[in-house]
Amino acid sequence: MRKSIATVSVSGTLMEKLEAIAAAGFDGVEIFENDLLTCPLPPEEVRARAADLGLGIDLYQPFRDFEGVPAEVLAGNLRRAEHKFRLMERLGADLLLVCSNISPAAIGDDELAAGQLRLLAERAAEYGIRIAYEALAWGRHVNEYLHAWRIVRLADHPNLGTCLDSFHILSRGSDPVGIEAIPGEKIFFLQLADAPLLAMDVLQWSRHYRCFPGQGNFDLAGLVASVLRTGYAGPLSLEVFNDVFRQASTERTALDGMRSLIGLERELHGMTHPAVPAGFAFAELADTGSLGGMLGALGFARTGTHPTKPVELWEQGGARLLLNATGDDPKLIAIGLDSPDPAGAAKHAESLLSPILPRERTPEEARLEAVAAPDGTEIFFCDDAWLADFASSGPVPGQAEGPAPGQVEGAAEGPVPGPVTGIDHVALAQPWHYFDEAALFYRGVLGLRPQESLELPDPYGLLRSKAMSSPDGAVRVVVNIAQVGADHLPWQHVALACDDVMAVARRLRREHPELLLPIPGNYYDDLEARHEVDPELRRLGVLYDRDEHGEFLHVYTVTAGRVFFEIVQRIGGYQGYGAGNAPIRLAVQHAAGH
Amino acid sequence: MRKSIATVSVSGTLMEKLEAIAAAGFDGVEIFENDLLTCPLPPEEVRARAADLGLGIDLYQPFRDFEGVPAEVLAGNLRRAEHKFRLMERLGADLLLVCSNISPAAIGDDELAAGQLRLLAERAAEYGIRIAYEALAWGRHVNEYLHAWRIVRLADHPNLGTCLDSFHILSRGSDPVGIEAIPGEKIFFLQLADAPLLAMDVLQWSRHYRCFPGQGNFDLAGLVASVLRTGYAGPLSLEVFNDVFRQASTERTALDGMRSLIGLERELHGMTHPAVPAGFAFAELADTGSLGGMLGALGFARTGTHPTKPVELWEQGGARLLLNATGDDPKLIAIGLDSPDPAGAAKHAESLLSPILPRERTPEEARLEAVAAPDGTEIFFCDDAWLADFASSGPVPGQAEGPAPGQVEGAAEGPVPGPVTGIDHVALAQPWHYFDEAALFYRGVLGLRPQESLELPDPYGLLRSKAMSSPDGAVRVVVNIAQVGADHLPWQHVALACDDVMAVARRLRREHPELLLPIPGNYYDDLEARHEVDPELRRLGVLYDRDEHGEFLHVYTVTAGRVFFEIVQRIGGYQGYGAGNAPIRLAVQHAAGH
């Protein structure tokens, strides 16, 4: 029989995957959409490369959430489909996988679903394309393979058949003998996966995924309050089974457990955080001389130098960056936070067992309170006094670059004008052992609240990402780890807030195109299928996202050492971080050897 | 409030844990039984050490499967409990956690459970011990905290109270407000754990744990057969989402996918394995000269040397070991299997894309067919001809040790007498990326069937273990990996079958006590609580296990390089590998720096 494999099944870039799959003797592939989106080659070249390798493109997948929708949604779904049909023509694929709708908005009406799938099949037929409809095991209304087949039969169109997937059938315990009632010519495709019979139940959850209070999602203060109201006078005792803790430093884990109980007690006593930061004062980066040019290109000006340390202050709008000539490759080494009470914030951090950092300073320098985050990043609690250290300064001796265009010397002369208004967020890279510890640190010590947690595919593994924010959104931190066991750390970045990303991108494209991370055209093909967007996004390499509150425009710079910059524009009340676009970025960064 | 932590919550040995917990400022600990069992110190010294550190022992746990049992089981359960009470006296612990029965044999009768718990509390009272009864979220009949409380109230004994665990309450979505109806003095203990709200459902299973056909537990041949009966003529296509595959070598994963489909096709065509091995011909170990002495002590004799290679043959009963002076530290490098058709077995392996190993040999030497297992171990398919290579041999020049006692020179003179009868199994260490690949290799290439898969705690992480066996049990292979992400490989070992482990242990204890891995006395305290066993086991350091078929006696040697030996005796139809004792071994090995 013909043998195929979905590109998602192996690691690497799309080209590496195709080569390995061909070398292994497969006849064809299913192109998994994300692999195409992250590929720098146009579909025609992917098609040619596959053909050169002797691989047929047996399926393009997945097309989601199409059927069983209200009439007003259908038009948009058909429009999305037309985009994909044209893409498949370029790719030389004539079979599209449509998986059953998982949206809460889907309507459980077989007649409606069948009618809409028939319409889809009619459109597909004009392109010579066939549709394979598959029941996902977690489909909203259609999650059994025989149900999907009933709908296909009801739709009754030669270009519509069913796709069977062993996982979706056997994971639900469905009897595969029912398959034999389906005419073989209506089974357009068969996908195979095995799986261990995992008891993915509360026991497994308990044995491997427990964590300390404040690291997860339980309301433990509420529970303990109930216990205390009984008159209970025994101890609070931590019992945590956690695969990662088992491998981590004994001392660190014990300390973190204590920190979690101290935080829980504070919560029980109704103690609020004494000094939630009001914003970013600065971000400090180690530098060997390469970052100044990049900041100048982004519109920053060097506005001061430290009187006793090899540190420069660069500013634009409300964004302040410090470049520290440590001799290390570029990386984020410190974050300054505007604190309503720096001494109180440091004392609070100390009460949560955070290591307070000793600071060497001359009597004239501002006193800065600082603690170490779990990954070693220094966190400073600042009032405005620190800026005075940079007030009386001239050009830095031995600085390789000349002043950037529009650069002004001397700080505290009012903000440097430019489209950038401040720091939107910083993204830090954690060793994978310290992910839970970091979550507790930012929650307890800084008073940030956990937001979305995501797993993002990159070509060589999954990236875990957790966003945290102060209640008013003024301080946002994203904590990233490479997959458990990965031997590399993710990149760090500073995201700069801005009111007009398009203007920034236009200027960079014109004056410093080498600094903009190139975005694959396939990304824009997909984006344009999903949304009606300004075609200038593609020309400039600007990425786009939206949520229920608003829209998000952003560009990435290339990396320097371990960091890069992102310029972001939040339109309306957009709450996210453009995480859906991160896999595109990761693939391009890996390909560039960044 | 007093702050405690269960020792299971942090990594390391019990002493490392206590020190780190004290350093973190905790007031007390829950001693998790496994941590005590793997500790070389007697309970009195653990107690003293905890006291020196200022730590109270707030709880001893867990005591399992006690209540709601038939009368004939109760006596044994009370006997187990008396053992633990005496242990707790030595440890200075006065509170025992009893968690709700999870056994399928448990009876769902609250009156019965209450009566039996009251009996337990009466016995405990004689020792000044109190019992904290807890509902496990997956308890057979009692899995809600208010249910456990109703039983405690029914039992009505001052030495019986309840233990609340936030995970068991909140993971089930129970409302903690119900706690407030419990009198505080009847809440003997409170355990806290947080957890992420994981959708541990089919979707997560699908996204992270799929694997290739033959690597999991699905009956895919049955499903595909149903599909083919429909007349389906499309491809078989693999669609696998697997976190580990995402990080592994692209080429290897693609090849392994192809291997899985070839194996599936063979199964579909009803093709049986052409040459399932009939037994172990030999195991070959790299050696720098240290293993000969150990083998001599175990009763092996050197019976031959290879005419052209620095390889010695050592024999006892039907067990044959080759020591190869490669200059590498001791490790397993090859396995020889008795094959009914060596050429056919090699051809079969080749059809499954296994790398056939080129062999350099002189014209006189036996032809040996060999393939490479995923971890690089060489697998030889042998008939008896290979033994002739060792027939005409004398002592090995430059061999450091003299002949061991009873050593006979010259092979093929009949088996060397001794208690060891053959090789029972070999345990191989896999890099964690190749665990699924190894499972498929041993199943497809050797025709072994998967047996139990286990996760075994060692002090610094979890060890994953999978046993595979030929249908008649003549060839057994255990594949071990350290936890995903661990940077070390587990140890390998050769388990030697024997009819009288006690005799072997007696001789070793007398003549070479330094070769026996020392087993903590706490292990025997626990063993004697569970079973009535010969007290000589403790004196000799022999370990014990039983299953529904029979009993198992075994001893471990100390490690040499990356390997050690195990001498095992299967009594009755015991099917396992003594895996329940492996955590004891791992803790001792780590402590010895092996």
Side-chain angles (χ1 to χ4, degrees):
Chain A
M1 295 183 72
R2 184 176 177 85
K3 295 183 182 69
S4 291
I5 185 166
T7 51
V8 73
S9 310
V10 300
S11 72
T13 65
L14 183 55
M15 286 305 113
E16 288 168 351
K17 291 174 186 217
L18 293 180
E19 278 163 31
I21 287 166
F26 282 90
D27 306 298
V29 290
E30 308 173 26
I31 299 278
F32 195 72
E33 181 158 81
N34 199 52
D35 285 321
L36 184 76
L37 299 190
T38 57
C39 174
L41 300 180
E44 292 80 1
E45 287 187 36
V46 174
R47 170 191 200 154
R49 187 71 190 122
D52 287 349
L53 291 165
L55 290 174
I57 297 180
D58 292 346
L59 184 77
Y60 187 76
Q61 66 126 320
F63 191 73
R64 297 186 189 278
D65 294 341
F66 173 80
E67 85 289 6
V69 294
E72 65 273 19
V73 176
L74 181 63
N77 285 357
L78 285 169
R79 188 175 150 275
R80 268 199 298 140
E82 296 270 357
H83 269 272
K84 296 302 170 191
F85 295 156
R86 286 194 292 273
L87 169 68
M88 289 171 65
E89 275 194 320
R90 298 170 63 195
L91 201 55
D94 65 1
L95 186 61
L96 175 67
L97 177 76
V98 174
C99 44
S100 60
N101 200 321
I102 61 169
S103 163
I107 300 163
D109 175 339
D110 288 0
E111 293 278 356
L112 181 72
Q116 293 178 344
L117 284 167
R118 185 165 52 236
L119 201 56
L120 183 68
E122 283 167 7
R123 300 283 179 92
E126 293 167 22
Y127 296 84
I129 285 172
R130 297 182 308 148
I131 305 292
Y133 179 59
E134 170 186 81
L136 291 180
W138 52 89
R140 182 78 178 172
H141 300 288
V142 180
N143 42 45
E144 292 277 359
Y145 75 94
L146 287 175
H147 190 179
W149 160 237
R150 285 198 303 275
I151 290 174
V152 166
R153 198 174 44 188
L154 206 57
D156 190 25
H157 190 284
N159 283 53
L160 181 67
T162 190
C163 175
L164 299 176
D165 180 311
S166 65
F167 185 88
H168 293 302
I169 296 168
L170 298 176
S171 67
R172 295 184 60 94
S174 303
D175 186 345
V177 167
I179 295 171
E180 301 182 25
I182 309 174
E185 74 274 10
K186 294 302 276 184
I187 303 175
F188 283 6
F189 210 69
L190 172 61
Q191 297 177 308
L192 295 176
D194 201 345
L197 286 179
L198 288 179
M200 272 301 208
D201 55 10
V202 70
L203 189 146
Q204 291 298 319
W205 185 19
S206 172
R207 293 253 167 101
H208 302 287
Y209 294 97
R210 290 174 175 231
C211 53
F212 292 133
Q215 294 177 340
N217 301 105
F218 285 167
D219 174 17
L220 291 173
L223 180 139
V224 174
S226 285
V227 174
L228 295 182
R229 280 195 279 274
T230 69
Y232 171 76
L236 300 178
S237 187
L238 297 166
E239 190 197 30
V240 168
F241 302 85
N242 183 301
D243 288 0
V244 174
F245 293 5
R246 283 181 187 273
Q247 291 179 284
S249 151
T250 313
E251 291 76 15
R252 275 186 92 126
T253 308
L255 259 182
D256 214 40
M258 176 50 69
R259 183 176 292 137
S260 77
L261 286 185
I262 294 170
L264 181 62
E265 269 193 321
R266 292 183 60 92
E267 211 180 326
L268 279 169
H269 295 146
M271 291 161 79
T272 54
H273 193 285
V276 175
F280 285 102
F282 61 82
E284 182 173 356
L285 300 113
D287 185 26
T288 49
S290 62
L291 289 177
M294 195 185 269
L295 289 184
L298 292 174
F300 279 77
R302 188 177 57 194
T303 56
T305 57
H306 196 275
T308 61
K309 295 174 187 152
V311 179
E312 301 175 5
L313 171 64
W314 289 71
E315 292 187 80
Q316 182 179 183
R320 296 191 181 97
L321 300 175
L322 300 180
L323 300 188
N324 190 335
T326 58
D328 294 322
D329 269 352
K331 64 179 177 185
L332 253 170
I333 54 176
I335 300 168
L337 298 172
D338 290 323
S339 176
D341 175 8
K347 219 160 125 186
H348 174 69
E350 198 168 12
S351 79
L352 289 170
L353 311 180
S354 293
I356 302 296
L357 295 171
R359 303 297 298 176
E360 286 176 23
R361 58 180 190 108
T362 60
E364 299 76 36
E365 284 177 52
R367 182 169 161 74
L368 284 175
E369 308 284 353
V371 296
D375 67 348
T377 304
E378 300 183 3
I379 309 289
F380 290 89
F381 303 108
C382 310
D383 51 27
D384 283 342
W386 71 275
L387 257 180
D389 287 349
F390 291 90
S392 54
S393 59
V396 182
Q399 167 80 4
E401 295 84 14
Q407 183 171 325
V408 183
E409 295 291 345
E413 297 178 7
V416 176
V420 167
T421 55
I423 295 175
D424 183 87
H425 64 276
V426 296
L428 298 167
Q430 302 293 315
W432 60 271
H433 305 78
Y434 305 147
F435 194 63
D436 287 316
E437 182 182 341
L440 186 60
F441 174 85
Y442 291 106
R443 179 168 166 171
V445 173
L446 301 189
L448 306 190
R449 295 179 181 170
Q451 296 181 287
E452 61 186 5
S453 281
L454 294 169
E455 287 181 332
L456 302 169
D458 99 1
Y460 303 101
L462 284 181
L463 186 89
R464 286 180 67 196
S465 177
K466 186 172 210 160
M468 312 194 73
S469 158
S470 59
D472 64 357
V475 173
R476 303 172 195 255
V477 174
V478 176
V479 175
N480 291 326
I481 57 164
Q483 189 169 3
V484 169
D487 49 9
H488 60 279
L489 283 176
W491 290 279
Q492 306 167 317
H493 73 272
V494 178
L496 300 162
C498 149
D499 290 332
D500 190 351
V501 158
M502 300 301 277
V504 172
R506 262 179 232 122
R507 187 176 136 196
L508 279 173
R509 179 66 62 206
R510 196 173 57 238
E511 296 174 8
H512 296 282
E514 76 285 359
L515 292 182
L516 274 173
L517 194 75
I519 303 301
N522 297 323
Y523 168 77
Y524 292 99
D525 292 349
D526 175 68
L527 181 63
E528 288 160 11
R530 289 185 288 125
H531 304 293
E532 302 211 24
V533 291
D534 182 348
E536 200 186 2
L537 291 181
R538 182 195 290 259
R539 281 201 301 280
L540 295 176
V542 174
L543 297 99
Y544 177 85
D545 191 27
R546 66 188 309 165
D547 65 10
E548 66 272 34
H549 306 292
E551 295 176 295
F552 191 61
L553 294 171
H554 56 145
V555 290
Y556 303 111
T557 69
V558 296
T559 57
R562 307 222 8 83
V563 290
F564 63 92
F565 297 95
E566 182 183 8
I567 328 286
V568 312
Q569 181 178 359
R570 296 177 182 273
I571 302 167
Y574 178 86
Q575 291 298 315
Y577 297 81
N581 295 329
I584 307 289
R585 164 175 66 77
L586 288 161
V588 176
Q589 288 174 324
H590 276 294
H594 287 304
Chain B
M1 296 183 71
R2 184 176 177 85
K3 295 185 182 68
S4 290
I5 185 167
T7 52
V8 72
S9 310
V10 301
S11 72
T13 64
L14 182 54
M15 287 305 114
E16 288 169 351
K17 290 174 186 217
L18 293 181
E19 278 163 30
I21 287 166
F26 282 90
D27 306 298
V29 290
E30 308 173 28
I31 299 278
F32 196 70
E33 181 157 81
N34 200 52
D35 285 321
L36 184 76
L37 299 189
T38 57
C39 174
L41 299 181
E44 292 80 1
E45 288 188 36
V46 174
R47 171 191 200 155
R49 186 72 190 120
D52 287 350
L53 291 166
L55 290 174
I57 297 181
D58 292 346
L59 184 76
Y60 187 76
Q61 66 125 320
F63 191 73
R64 296 187 190 279
D65 294 341
F66 173 79
E67 85 291 5
V69 295
E72 66 274 17
V73 176
L74 181 64
N77 284 358
L78 285 170
R79 187 175 150 277
R80 269 199 297 140
E82 297 270 357
H83 270 271
K84 296 302 170 191
F85 294 156
R86 286 194 292 274
L87 169 68
M88 288 171 65
E89 275 194 320
R90 297 170 63 197
L91 201 55
D94 65 1
L95 186 60
L96 175 67
L97 177 77
V98 173
C99 45
S100 60
N101 201 322
I102 62 169
S103 162
I107 300 163
D109 176 339
D110 288 0
E111 293 278 354
L112 182 72
Q116 294 177 343
L117 284 168
R118 185 166 50 237
L119 203 55
L120 182 69
E122 284 165 7
R123 301 283 179 92
E126 294 167 23
Y127 296 83
I129 285 172
R130 297 181 308 148
I131 305 292
Y133 179 59
E134 169 186 81
L136 291 179
W138 51 90
R140 181 77 177 172
H141 300 289
V142 179
N143 43 45
E144 292 277 358
Y145 75 95
L146 286 175
H147 191 181
W149 161 238
R150 284 198 303 276
I151 290 173
V152 166
R153 199 175 43 189
L154 207 56
D156 191 24
H157 190 285
N159 283 54
L160 180 67
T162 189
C163 175
L164 299 177
D165 180 312
S166 65
F167 185 88
H168 293 303
I169 296 169
L170 297 176
S171 67
R172 294 184 61 94
S174 303
D175 186 344
V177 167
I179 294 170
E180 302 182 25
I182 309 175
E185 72 275 8
K186 294 302 278 184
I187 303 175
F188 282 7
F189 210 70
L190 170 62
Q191 298 176 308
L192 295 176
D194 201 345
L197 286 179
L198 288 179
M200 273 302 210
D201 57 10
V202 70
L203 189 146
Q204 292 298 318
W205 185 20
S206 171
R207 293 254 168 99
H208 301 287
Y209 293 96
R210 290 174 174 231
C211 52
F212 291 133
Q215 294 177 339
N217 301 106
F218 284 168
D219 174 16
L220 291 174
L223 180 140
V224 174
S226 285
V227 174
L228 295 182
R229 280 195 280 273
T230 69
Y232 171 76
L236 301 178
S237 186
L238 298 166
E239 189 197 29
V240 168
F241 301 84
N242 184 300
D243 287 359
V244 174
F245 293 4
R246 283 180 186 273
Q247 291 180 284
S249 150
T250 312
E251 291 76 15
R252 274 185 93 128
T253 308
L255 258 182
D256 214 41
M258 176 50 69
R259 183 177 291 136
S260 78
L261 285 185
I262 294 169
L264 181 63
E265 268 192 323
R266 293 183 61 93
E267 212 181 325
L268 278 169
H269 294 146
M271 292 162 77
T272 54
H273 193 285
V276 174
F280 286 101
F282 62 82
E284 181 173 355
L285 300 113
D287 186 25
T288 48
S290 62
L291 289 177
M294 193 183 271
L295 290 183
L298 292 174
F300 279 77
R302 187 177 57 194
T303 56
T305 58
H306 196 275
T308 61
K309 296 173 187 151
V311 179
E312 302 174 6
L313 171 64
W314 288 71
E315 291 188 81
Q316 182 179 183
R320 296 191 182 97
L321 300 175
L322 301 180
L323 300 188
N324 190 334
T326 57
D328 294 321
D329 269 352
K331 64 178 177 186
L332 253 169
I333 55 176
I335 300 167
L337 298 171
D338 291 323
S339 176
D341 174 9
K347 220 162 123 185
H348 174 68
E350 199 168 13
S351 79
L352 288 171
L353 311 179
S354 292
I356 303 295
L357 295 171
R359 303 296 299 174
E360 285 175 24
R361 58 181 191 110
T362 61
E364 299 76 35
E365 285 178 51
R367 182 171 160 72
L368 283 175
E369 309 283 353
V371 296
D375 67 348
T377 305
E378 299 183 4
I379 308 288
F380 290 89
F381 302 107
C382 310
D383 51 26
D384 283 342
W386 71 277
L387 258 180
D389 288 348
F390 292 90
S392 54
S393 59
V396 181
Q399 168 80 6
E401 296 82 15
Q407 182 171 325
V408 183
E409 295 291 345
E413 296 176 6
V416 176
V420 166
T421 55
I423 295 176
D424 183 87
H425 64 276
V426 294
L428 298 167
Q430 302 294 315
W432 60 271
H433 305 79
Y434 304 148
F435 194 63
D436 287 316
E437 182 182 341
L440 186 60
F441 173 85
Y442 291 106
R443 178 167 168 171
V445 173
L446 301 188
L448 306 190
R449 295 177 182 172
Q451 296 181 287
E452 61 186 8
S453 281
L454 294 170
E455 287 181 333
L456 303 169
D458 100 1
Y460 303 102
L462 284 180
L463 186 89
R464 285 181 66 195
S465 177
K466 186 171 209 161
M468 313 193 70
S469 158
S470 60
D472 64 358
V475 173
R476 302 172 196 256
V477 174
V478 176
V479 175
N480 291 326
I481 57 164
Q483 188 170 1
V484 169
D487 49 8
H488 60 278
L489 283 175
W491 290 280
Q492 307 166 316
H493 73 271
V494 178
L496 300 162
C498 149
D499 290 333
D500 190 351
V501 157
M502 300 300 278
V504 172
R506 263 180 230 120
R507 186 175 137 200
L508 280 174
R509 181 64 64 204
R510 196 172 58 237
E511 296 174 9
H512 296 281
E514 76 285 0
L515 292 182
L516 274 174
L517 193 75
I519 303 301
N522 298 323
Y523 168 76
Y524 292 100
D525 292 348
D526 175 67
L527 180 63
E528 289 161 11
R530 289 185 288 125
H531 305 294
E532 302 212 24
V533 291
D534 183 348
E536 200 186 1
L537 291 180
R538 183 195 289 260
R539 281 200 302 279
L540 295 175
V542 174
L543 296 99
Y544 176 85
D545 192 27
R546 66 190 308 167
D547 65 10
E548 67 272 34
H549 307 291
E551 295 176 297
F552 190 61
L553 294 172
H554 57 145
V555 290
Y556 303 111
T557 70
V558 295
T559 57
R562 305 221 11 81
V563 290
F564 63 92
F565 297 95
E566 183 183 7
I567 327 287
V568 311
Q569 180 179 359
R570 295 176 183 275
I571 302 166
Y574 178 85
Q575 291 298 312
Y577 297 81
N581 295 329
I584 307 289
R585 164 175 66 77
L586 288 162
V588 176
Q589 287 174 325
H590 275 293
H594 287 303

